[in-house]
Amino acid sequence: MTRIYLDHAATTPLLPAARQAMIDASVEFGNPSSLHEEGRRARQLVDEAREVISRSLGADFAEVLFTGSGTESAVLALAGISLEASRKRVLMCAAEHHCVLETAPLLRRLGIQVDLIRVDRQGRLDLDHLGALMGDDVLLVACMHANNELGTIQPIHEVVRISHERGALVFCDAVQTYLSLDWNVDDLGVDLVSISAHKVGGPKGVGALYVRAGTPMKPLIAGGGQEREMRAGTENVMGIAGFAAAVAAPPVDRRTNALYEHLKRGGFVPSVTTAGRLAGIVHGRFPGVNAESMLILLDRMGVSASSGAACSSGSIEPSHVLLACGYSETEASEGLRFSVGKSQTDAELNEAAQRILEAANRLLH
Ligand code: PLP
């Protein structure tokens, strides 16, 4: 039985171009900070990669910092802006990824008050609530571009308008929309953007943070002054080269409607029914079917999927996103996420849908 991987929102397979770029870069052992020939060659790889990634974001070369992950980018943005800031409130969408929400305790220790912005049943940020929370003491608003569990696309332009009107900065976690939606930093209008290599066919353990020129951010890691003193530590040259090669690889269209439509006909209840969702993420429930049982059975049937929620010590916790959307604990424990890769064919997705419906039927009867 061929396995079908439907968990691309968790991570994507390494693209051949990225693997090759990393193999090539592994020969360049120099330290990019060294002034000699070996160092200069390693520096050139990092510079070329920064050029590719800044261009893909519509940013200037100097506005892109490499980090160790999407998570690190988010923490650097949130805490790096909060250090020594005179405004003392940060607003976060309640459906943000844990890498944003779990930064709140650190921010509180820095003397920042953190308030959560409500979301509706589909995970969409409540703009009225944002307006009610907004004030001249708000330093930063964190709103992701699209949700990693549900695929819901957030009203980022309105968030930027409401925030900028009051002088607040906007941080956007764009890990799930980078190279899957067509945007650049000027379209979004935000001040800081995080992205991650392993969601776009690059290696794990590399991310980037866009910081709009002039944004007052402080480093969290001091040391050798790398990344314009914003993130010290000798650069992950191989990982960075692999990241850029994945970004430069030719784009392929996503094809997910086959899966969405097929599952809907079989009793699957999609969580997001508006047009404002990522095509690559199909989230929903088979009412009465527990997600954990379903995922174990699907794995045995050759389908790798996810609940989208965090998994700790082998069991799935109820999704904080679904709870924030107003689902009950039972409903939240039924949430399933199928996330499709760019090159998956309709035939593969139809086969996946048949296996998924069969698994749901077996668990229901
Ligand atoms: N933000 C979102 C929306 C994500 O989906 C993820 C990955 O799970 C991250 C941040 C974290 O990225 P990384 O795995 O590179 O730390």
Side-chain angles (χ1 to χ4, degrees), residues 300-325:
R300 289 215 306 270
M301 293 170 70
V303 177
S304 307
S306 164
S307 69
C311 178
S312 74
S313 48
S315 70
I316 300 166
E317 291 168 6
S319 151
H320 71 282
V321 174
L322 293 184
L323 296 179
C325 292

Side-chain angles (χ1 to χ4, degrees), residues 51-212:
E51 186 64 50
V52 167
I53 289 167
S54 55
R55 210 177 321 118
S56 74
L57 290 167
D60 287 341
F61 182 86
E63 292 177 316
V64 173
L65 306 174
F66 287 115
T67 66
S69 59
T71 297
E72 188 192 317
S73 298
V75 176
L76 173 57
L78 292 159
I81 292 293
S82 299
L83 277 169
E84 296 175 34
S86 52
R87 293 185 175 208
K88 294 292 178 201
R89 272 173 76 218
V90 165
L91 310 182
M92 296 176 177
C93 172
E96 289 297 296
H97 189 270
H98 283 297
C99 68
V100 170
L101 294 175
E102 295 302 320
T103 308
L106 171 62
L107 299 186
R108 291 195 185 103
R109 283 204 292 279
L110 296 173
I112 303 280
Q113 179 185 326
V114 179
D115 295 321
L116 294 184
I117 312 156
R118 280 195 298 263
V119 293
D120 69 11
R121 179 85 180 170
Q122 311 220 17
R124 196 171 189 271
L125 179 139
D126 179 340
L127 290 168
D128 291 338
H129 193 219
L130 170 62
L133 290 171
M134 184 52 69
D136 294 337
D137 56 345
V138 175
L139 170 66
L140 179 86
V141 176
C143 176
M144 66 203 324
H145 196 191
N147 186 269
N148 50 297
E149 289 187 32
L150 304 178
T152 309
I153 300 170
Q154 297 294 8
I156 194 73
H157 293 117
E158 286 90 334
V159 170
V160 168
R161 186 181 51 74
I162 293 168
S163 307
H164 281 179
E165 260 172 25
R166 304 297 286 270
L169 297 167
V170 179
F171 161 65
C172 183
D173 173 345
V175 164
Q176 291 292 340
T177 63
Y178 182 48
L179 307 188
S180 71
L181 287 183
D182 193 15
W183 58 269
N184 64 46
V185 290
D186 284 334
D187 297 338
L188 291 191
V190 300
D191 306 286
L192 302 118
V193 178
S194 60
I195 57 175
S196 176
H198 74 102
K199 308 286 182 173
V200 296
K204 292 161 185 58
V206 195
L209 178 65
Y210 159 80
V211 187
R212 190 177 291 285

